[in-house]
């Protein structure tokens, strides 16, 4: 039996905010109240970003919508709710209560107000209540931005920098700036937060979206009477966008403050991906809304196991580990070649790969007429991965590296130094 | 500990429910709805967090999945194979209410636990030594679950087992198309790898060792000796070709039986042992196998899903029929029988004779409670030890679980009861009690 190894240490320090593990609840309905957050801490969450505080608002009914795909509910999620609708003194009383009972867990208070005076007051009250950190919500893409807050701030680097500066002036605890993804390039916005003095950034908030249209009533969703409005998109479907934005900041040479990664995290694997691309802590909203606080047990266990497997003793050893290999296209080796191989034993003969390759790739997987197992014309296969992606049997199609005899050559080397490229495949 | 020999008639059987490949397990795991307060958990006697272990398969955290299973049920590997899931967890899956096939919880559980065994993962360590020692009677599922839990709490354990093999009916009784004896043995090895459990095989408590001996040498006793031998009908003991079903099953599971020339076999009874026995005889190559039962198909106590499978294997049933006598002639056995009416009363003029080459009696097993009946405080109910919800027998320091106490249920009940008794024993010992320090009265 395997010898007992030293248990990896999940303790996290994100921009000076410490938590027993890197898993935080994102500011949203799961962090609405103290009672909820205490249950979440009991389930294992390391930290929680309190539902954004500001001048309490009035919400609409209904509020949420979802994208379903082939029978799976809510692969993407959307909401038109605003910041907290509960009285501020109730929120602050509960924050103090949570901190008293859970001194080792991180409670970060998310804030969104307008004027310098308001920022000063609400930061003071948050710290008095015992906040371990603050998160400035410059991200909400609906409702609040019409009032000059949320993404209206996050989309303007100058405004972002100014308000961050105010917050840093008033705060003694670490300040995270929550960035909106509703921008062309995230980097200037991360740098603005840094210039304003932020201790770290959190991203992404939700993406401006219309989740669907009721095709019989001719009204977009979610429907509020006879009208709707654009909402914020999140959940599993947004993970690739979030990963890119996190990675883009993490690899920018001018950006060197910690990141709290958010967007579409459902399980430990997703969380690790964010960490490898530079997130020190990871926040979750939608999957908790759909499945509950209990998902964190698997996240903690999965991360612990993963760290043990790779010999990581502490979480900072894996944070950013994939950043150096997130490169420019021009640095990729054009002579590196893979082709698809089908394992005839496990093939179930659905021929989804045939259709995919014929209609969506390079017409090089063919039915044989003899058995249902298709064959791959390896001379034509460009190694695009499409067949492997569509195949329903895990491990049936593998992408195999080919030794074509060419030395590695990037586009930059080809253009700059005349490096030799292998002949193109599938480009007749 | 003696492993079952390699030449065993049970080897001819294939798994009735084959193992999942990884692809199959993922497809099924992703179907699970991860219900809140899931009804499948309520239906599991050991309360395994089923949605949690299934979700962990789907996220490729198989190790965590196995941990979730074993944390609730240390015999999760055998239970995955032998549990009648159709009437337990799977029977309560919410998909049944949707007209959609329910989640195959047993097969998913088998997937995770088999991977754990193959990878050599163990999840538990013995607790710090308390210096206390507990004697466990019988090495079946109840005692194994109890001993493992006691070891996690740091108590020393000694299991007394009258047979040479361990594992109880999991090794000697369950149908080989669910699990074979060697796999049960693997489980015993894996469970006992926690260390600190002394196994004394070939030692029968009540004969080779007395309860008085146990009270002298141990701080507490757990009784997990299961049920007694097969019940017999009048006037048939000793006739060649007639066997107790459980005894016969043990013979082909642990060794070889010769069924040459057996053309027609009858199994008397309508419970789960009878349904197992007919399917087993068929699988061992007997061309014509029939179950002879006093009641109707609707009234049989054997599970409907098992009987359904038997019917698909071309097994016959002779309903509402009661044997009245057995005779051995030159051309085999003859069973005299009468037909019974709805109230199981003999119908006049219905006497007839059923030919057979082999007859198995599956009319229930005896109870072993008498072994312990002389001890003050111990109460019996028709041979079964009466216990409270924590397995306490009424005699200080004596706890019981499994078939000996529940009168004959399933492996998973034995696992749950063994674990519950361990908690009660731990609490009793923690309060500074011990059999050794108390006056023993009426110990036999
Ligand atoms: C034919 C058959 C098929 C079954 N199939 C299934 C199935 O498919 N699924 C399922 O869940 N359940 C099944 N069961 C029931 C299941 O096997 C039992 O409920 C379970 O094994 C009970 O565990 P136990 O530890 O209480 O007793 P047992 O498994 O009976 O173990 C008791 C042990 O104590 C030993 N012992 C007895 N007396 C003494 C003594 N005086 N001193 C020392 N040792 C002693 C015995 O040798 C035995 O090893 C089946 C039962 C039978 C008879
Ligand atoms: C219903 C709902 C309400 C939200 N409210 C807030 C909020 O008050 N403040 C905030 O900073 N982000 C809010 N968010 C955004 C989330 O914190 C998070 O950034 C986003 O949902 C992406 O993460 P996810 O994919 O894990 O859901 C909200 C999201 C949802 C779905
Ligand atoms: S989830 Fe709860 S609050 Fe929301 S609509 Fe359903 S019942 Fe009402
Ligand atoms: S998609 Fe996979 S399983 Fe289907 S035919 Fe192609 S190789 Fe076989
Ligand atoms: S009842 Fe069925 S769907 Fe629901 S958690 Fe249990 S196995 Fe999954």
């Amino acid at each position: 039996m395997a010898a007992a190894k030293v248990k990896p240490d999940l303790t996290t320090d994100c921009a000076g905010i410490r938590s027993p593990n890197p898993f935080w609840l994102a500011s949203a309905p799961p962090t609405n109240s103290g009672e909820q957050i205490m249950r979440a801490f009991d389930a294992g969450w390391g930290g929680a970003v309190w539902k954004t505080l500001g001048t309490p608002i009035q919400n609409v009914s209904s509020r949420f919508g979802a994208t379903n795909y082939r029978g799976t509910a809510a692969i993407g999620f959307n909401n038109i709710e605003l910041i907290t609708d509960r009285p501020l003194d109730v929120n602050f009383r509960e924050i103090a209560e949570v901190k008293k009972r859970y001194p080792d867990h991180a409670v970060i208070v998310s804030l969104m107000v307008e004027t310098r005076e308001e920022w000063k007051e609400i930061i003071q009250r948050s710290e008095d209540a015992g906040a371990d950190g603050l998160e400035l919500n410059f991200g909400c893409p609906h409702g609040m931005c019409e009032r000059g807050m949320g993404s209206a701030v996050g989309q303007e680097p100058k405004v972002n920098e100014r308000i961050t500066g105010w917050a840093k002036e008033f705060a003694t605890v670490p300040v995270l700036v929550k960035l909106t993804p509703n921008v062309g390039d995230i980097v200037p916005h991360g740098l603005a937060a840094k210039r304003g003095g932020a201790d770290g950034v959190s991203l992404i908030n939700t993406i401006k979206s219309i989740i669907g249209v009721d095709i019989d009533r001719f009204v977009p969703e979610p429907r509020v009477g006879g009208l709707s409005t654009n909402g914020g998109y999140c959940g599993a479907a947004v993970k690739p966008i979030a990963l890119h934005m996190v990675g883009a900041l993490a690899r920018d040479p001018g950006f060197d403050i910690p990141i709290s990664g958010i967007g579409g995290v459902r399980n430990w694997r997703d969380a690790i991906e964010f960490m490898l691309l530079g997130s020190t802590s990871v926040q979750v909203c939608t999957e908790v809304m759909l499945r509950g606080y209990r998902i964190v047990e698997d996240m903690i266990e999965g991360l612990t196991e993963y760290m043990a497997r790779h010999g990581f003793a502490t979480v900072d050893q894996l944070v950013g580990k994939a950043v150096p290999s997130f490169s420019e296209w021009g640095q990729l080796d054009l002579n590196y070649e893979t082709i698809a191989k089908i394992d005839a034993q496990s093939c179930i003969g659905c021929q989804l790969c045939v259709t995919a390759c014929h209609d969506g790739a390079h017409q090089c997987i063919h039915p044989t007429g003899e058995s249902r197992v298709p064959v791959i014309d390896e001379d034509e296969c460009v190694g695009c991965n499409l067949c492997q992606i569509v195949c329903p049997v895990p491990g049936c199609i593998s992408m195999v590296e080919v030794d074509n005899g060419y030395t590695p050559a990037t586009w930059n080397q080809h253009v700059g130094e005349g490096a030799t490229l292998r002949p193109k495949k599938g480009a007749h | 500990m003696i492993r079952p020999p390699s030449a065993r008639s049970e080897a001819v059987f294939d798994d009735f429910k084959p193992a999942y490949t990884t692809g199959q397990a993922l497809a099924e795991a992703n179907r699970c709805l991860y219900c809140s307060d899931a009804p499948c958990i309520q239906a599991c006697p050991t309360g395994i967090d089923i949605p949690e272990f299934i979700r962990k398969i789907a996220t490729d955290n198989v190790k965590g999945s196995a941990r979730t299973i074993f944390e609730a049920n240390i015999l999760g590997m055998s239970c995955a194979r032998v549990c009648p899931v159709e009437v337990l967890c799977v029977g309560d899956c919410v998909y049944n209410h949707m007209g959609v096939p329910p989640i195959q919880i047993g097969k998913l559980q088998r997937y995770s636990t088999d991977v754990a065994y193959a990878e050599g993962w163990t999840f538990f360590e013995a607790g710090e030594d308390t210096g206390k020692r507990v004697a466990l009677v019988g090495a079946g599922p109840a005692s194994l679950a109890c001993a493992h839990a006691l070891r996690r709490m740091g108590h020393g354990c000694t299991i007394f087992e009258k047979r040479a093999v361990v594992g109880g009916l999991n090794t000697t009784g369950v149908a080989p198309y669910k699990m074979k004896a060697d796999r049960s043995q693997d489980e015993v090895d894996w469970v006992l790898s926690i260390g600190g459990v002394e196994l004394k095989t070939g030692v029968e408590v009540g004969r080779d060792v007395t309860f008085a001996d146990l009270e002298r040498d141990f701080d507490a006793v757990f009784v997990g000796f299961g049920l007694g031998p097969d019940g017999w009908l009048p006037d048939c003991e000793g006739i060649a070709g007639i066997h107790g079903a459980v005894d016969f099953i043990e013979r082909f599971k642990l060794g070889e039986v010769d069924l040459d020339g057996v053309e027609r076999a009858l199994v008397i009874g309508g419970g789960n042992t009878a349904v197992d026995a007919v399917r087993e005889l068929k699988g061992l190559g007997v061309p014509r196998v029939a179950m002879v039962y006093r009641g109707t198909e609707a009234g049989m106590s054997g599970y409907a899903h098992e009987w359904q499978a038997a019917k698909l294997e071309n097994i016959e049933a002779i309903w509402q029929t009661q044997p009245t006598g057995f005779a051995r002639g030159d051309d085999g056995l003859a069973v005299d029988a009468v037909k019974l009416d709805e109230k199981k009363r003999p119908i006049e003029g219905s006497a007839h004779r059923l030919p057979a080459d082999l007859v198995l009696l599956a009319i229930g097993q005896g109870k072993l409670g008498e072994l312990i009946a002389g001890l003050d405080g111990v109460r019996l109910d028709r041979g079964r030890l009466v216990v409270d919800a924590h397995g306490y027998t009424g005699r200080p320091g004596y706890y019981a679980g499994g078939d000996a106490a529940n009168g004959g249920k399933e492996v998973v009940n034995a696992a749950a009861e063994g674990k519950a008794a361990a908690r009660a024993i731990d609490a009793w010992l923690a309060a500074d009690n011990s059999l050794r320090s108390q006056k023993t009265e009426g110990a036999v």
Side-chain angles (χ1 to χ4, degrees):
Chain A
M1 315 254 137
K5 278 190 231 112
V6 189
K7 211 173 150 66
D9 181 4
L10 265 53
T11 316
T12 299
D13 181 335
C14 182
I17 303 168
R18 291 178 59 82
S19 54
N21 62 53
F23 305 132
W24 298 355
L25 290 169
S27 173
T31 60
N32 244 332
S33 66
E35 182 273 332
Q36 286 172 286
I37 290 178
M38 290 191 281
R39 273 196 288 124
F41 286 168
D42 287 341
W45 290 92
V49 186
W50 208 277
K51 172 73 186 174
T52 303
L53 303 184
T55 309
I57 51 71
Q58 168 99 42
N59 270 313
V60 292
S61 165
S62 56
R63 301 173 196 179
F64 306 147
T67 301
N68 304 331
Y69 181 68
R70 287 169 51 115
T72 302
I75 60 146
F77 193 81
N78 145 303
N79 83 92
I80 53 171
E81 83 166 41
L82 305 181
I83 64 171
T84 191
D85 54 6
R86 308 172 71 227
L88 280 181
D89 46 351
V90 173
N91 278 300
F92 286 125
R93 199 167 57 233
E94 292 179 1
I95 291 169
E97 174 75 12
V98 173
K99 269 320 292 179
K100 198 169 92 210
R101 294 216 222 159
Y102 295 83
D104 299 331
H105 289 68
V107 174
I108 298 100
V109 180
S110 170
L111 301 172
M112 185 197 287
V113 286
E114 267 188 281
T115 65
R116 194 182 140 97
E117 272 317 299
E118 284 172 334
W119 280 105
K120 180 173 180 182
E121 189 202 332
I122 204 160
I123 287 172
Q124 187 60 50
R125 293 183 73 184
S126 304
E127 294 199 354
D128 289 348
D132 297 302
L134 305 173
E135 188 178 83
L136 314 186
N137 180 350
F138 295 168
C140 184
H142 47 265
M144 303 311 291
C145 50
E146 294 170 18
R147 307 174 194 183
M149 290 177 275
S151 60
V153 176
Q155 284 162 335
E156 289 301 331
K158 282 209 176 67
V159 187
N160 169 341
E161 183 182 339
R162 184 172 72 237
I163 299 183
T164 305
W166 293 346
K168 278 304 289 179
E169 194 184 327
F170 306 132
T172 61
V173 296
V175 171
L176 304 175
V177 170
K178 186 161 179 179
L179 300 175
T180 173
N182 298 303
V183 293
D185 177 7
I186 196 72
V187 174
H189 304 275
L191 292 174
K194 188 195 153 187
R195 279 195 309 275
D199 299 283
V201 295
S202 336
L203 72 165
I204 60 173
N205 209 311
T206 54
I207 301 170
K208 210 165 211 176
S209 60
I210 290 179
I211 198 76
V213 179
D214 182 328
I215 61 171
D216 297 313
R217 289 193 174 93
F218 319 116
V219 182
E221 288 167 335
R223 187 171 58 84
V224 181
L227 294 177
S228 186
T229 187
N230 56 273
Y233 196 45
C234 52
V238 311
K239 191 185 87 177
I241 297 166
L243 279 178
H244 167 255
M245 291 191 165
V246 166
L249 277 179
R251 73 169 179 175
D252 189 273
F255 186 87
D256 54 2
I257 55 177
I259 299 172
S260 181
I262 320 169
V265 174
R266 290 159 302 165
N267 55 43
W268 62 274
R269 306 181 67 92
D270 296 332
I272 290 172
E273 292 177 33
F274 273 89
M275 295 171 82
L276 292 175
L277 278 177
S279 302
T280 305
S281 70
V282 176
Q283 301 185 27
V284 186
C285 162
T286 304
E287 187 68 358
V288 169
M289 292 181 67
L290 297 173
R291 301 283 179 260
Y293 300 130
R294 59 195 168 146
I295 62 166
V296 76
E297 176 184 320
D298 174 52
M299 295 178 68
I300 292 171
E301 212 169 56
L303 174 62
T304 307
E305 218 28 71
Y306 169 87
M307 287 172 64
R309 202 158 61 237
H310 285 274
F312 296 129
T314 56
V315 279
D316 50 309
Q317 291 175 352
L318 69 123
V319 171
K321 210 148 169 69
V323 173
S325 50
F326 171 25
S327 169
E328 297 301 335
W329 195 93
Q331 300 292 349
L332 304 181
D333 178 9
L334 289 167
N335 287 344
Y336 175 78
E337 182 176 355
T338 61
I339 53 167
K341 297 258 190 206
I342 295 175
D343 171 28
Q345 286 300 312
S346 55
C347 169
I348 58 171
C350 68
Q351 302 195 351
L352 288 174
C353 56
V354 174
T355 303
C357 188
H358 273 245
D359 298 358
H362 289 80
Q363 302 83 46
C364 51
I365 304 185
H366 308 291
T368 64
E370 286 156 27
S371 87
R372 293 279 306 171
V373 182
V375 292
I376 294 174
D377 180 350
E378 297 185 355
D379 293 336
E380 291 293 319
C381 172
V382 302
C384 72
N385 293 358
L386 184 65
C387 55
Q388 189 192 43
I389 289 167
V390 81
C391 178
V393 184
C396 176
I397 297 185
S398 41
M399 304 304 300
V400 179
E401 193 174 330
V402 185
D403 180 7
N404 54 21
Y406 285 85
T407 43
T410 67
W411 176 250
N412 293 349
Q413 287 167 332
H414 174 65
V415 175
E417 307 150 26
T420 311
L421 302 183
R422 67 183 165 118
K424 286 190 216 173
K425 267 179 121 183
H428 317 284
Chain B
M1 175 176 17
I2 299 179
R3 293 196 69 87
S6 48
R8 306 194 311 277
S9 297
E10 69 162 357
V12 301
F13 288 91
D14 289 329
D15 286 351
F16 184 64
K17 294 181 183 171
Y20 272 151
T21 61
T22 300
Q24 290 170 323
L26 285 174
E28 188 66 359
N30 277 313
R31 247 174 25 92
C32 170
L33 299 169
Y34 198 53
C35 298
S36 276
D37 190 17
C40 53
I41 306 180
Q42 315 294 327
C44 171
T46 57
I48 295 176
D49 191 340
I50 293 163
E52 192 63 39
F53 97 69
I54 294 179
R55 181 177 171 93
K56 289 175 182 175
I57 295 175
T59 72
D60 193 19
N61 173 14
V62 182
K63 191 170 186 179
S65 171
R67 180 185 288 118
T68 297
I69 295 164
F70 290 130
E71 197 55 75
N73 180 352
I74 196 65
L75 304 182
M77 188 281 284
S78 63
C79 283
R81 290 167 159 77
V82 308
C83 270
V85 292
E86 293 80 355
V87 298
L88 296 172
C89 52
V90 174
D92 276 10
C93 173
V94 295
Y95 273 128
N96 291 300
H97 305 302
M98 212 174 136
V100 168
I103 299 295
Q104 291 304 301
I105 300 165
K107 295 180 76 167
L108 289 170
Q109 183 171 323
R110 173 171 173 180
Y111 177 77
S112 293
T113 55
D114 277 357
V115 172
Y117 274 48
E119 296 288 335
W121 295 329
T122 55
F123 301 98
F124 310 101
E125 280 169 23
E128 202 180 319
D129 191 5
T130 61
K132 307 275 185 184
R133 294 181 58 210
V134 181
L136 301 101
V137 185
S143 290
L144 289 169
C146 185
H148 188 271
L150 288 169
R151 288 301 300 134
R152 288 184 70 186
M153 299 157 178
H155 306 304
C157 293
T158 301
I159 302 182
F160 296 91
E161 168 56 54
K162 71 176 178 190
R163 284 179 162 77
V165 293
V166 292
L169 284 166
N170 241 351
T171 304
T172 64
V174 301
Y177 43 81
K178 296 181 189 165
M179 181 172 71
K180 298 193 180 71
D182 54 333
R183 194 60 180 157
S184 169
Q185 209 69 38
D186 291 344
E187 177 165 77
V188 175
D189 294 343
W190 186 85
V191 170
L192 296 188
S193 71
I194 191 164
V197 181
E198 190 186 9
L199 258 186
K200 290 192 185 278
T201 52
V203 180
E204 182 170 344
V205 175
R207 204 193 63 184
D208 306 318
V209 165
T210 65
F211 282 100
D213 294 334
L214 300 185
E215 295 191 1
R216 191 188 58 235
D217 298 339
F218 294 90
D219 298 293
V221 171
F222 175 78
V223 181
F225 53 37
L227 299 177
D230 292 291
W232 284 76
L233 289 167
D235 307 326
C236 59
E237 216 152 344
I239 299 176
I242 305 182
H243 308 268
V246 177
D247 180 51
F248 186 83
I249 291 167
E250 174 166 354
R251 282 165 52 195
F252 74 72
K253 281 188 66 74
L254 297 185
E256 290 178 297
V257 289
D258 182 6
L259 289 170
D260 236 20
V262 176
E263 288 293 318
R264 187 184 165 106
L266 296 177
V267 175
I268 317 291
N272 284 315
T273 299
V275 180
D276 278 8
V278 286
R279 295 181 69 190
E280 288 162 341
L281 289 172
K282 192 80 179 184
L284 288 168
V286 178
R288 293 195 62 189
V289 181
M291 190 173 79
V292 181
Y293 178 51
R294 291 182 301 155
T296 59
E297 180 164 2
M300 70 187 285
S301 63
Y303 296 128
H305 65 270
E306 296 278 358
W307 175 240
Q308 208 56 37
K311 283 203 281 194
L312 292 174
E313 290 162 10
N314 283 322
I315 286 157
E316 302 157 43
I318 304 171
W319 304 112
Q320 296 180 283
T321 298
Q322 164 103 59
T324 54
F326 299 84
R328 173 128 214 132
D330 292 340
D331 52 349
L333 288 162
V335 179
D336 288 323
V338 290
K339 299 294 282 179
L340 304 182
D341 66 13
E342 270 67 47
K343 296 197 166 133
K344 296 189 180 161
R345 287 173 311 208
I347 299 174
E348 222 165 297
S350 68
H352 58 290
R353 190 162 256 213
L354 302 166
D357 305 307
L358 178 79
V359 172
L360 299 185
L361 298 173
I363 57 169
Q365 291 166 261
K367 309 279 192 295
L368 290 175
E370 289 310 322
L371 267 181
I372 199 174
L375 299 188
D376 284 354
V378 172
R379 282 163 303 141
L380 298 185
D381 170 22
R382 279 163 287 154
R384 165 186 87 83
L385 285 163
V386 178
V387 293
D388 69 8
H390 313 287
Y392 178 53
T393 62
R395 181 179 177 82
Y398 275 72
Y399 297 79
D403 284 358
N406 64 35
K409 286 188 177 169
E410 314 290 344
V411 172
V412 66
N413 301 94
E417 291 163 19
K419 187 174 171 182
R423 277 194 295 267
I425 292 171
D426 181 56
W428 190 72
L429 294 174
D432 232 11
N433 294 304
S434 168
L435 281 175
R436 285 193 262 200
S437 60
Q438 89 189 22
K439 265 197 92 50
T440 59
E441 272 160 37
V444 288

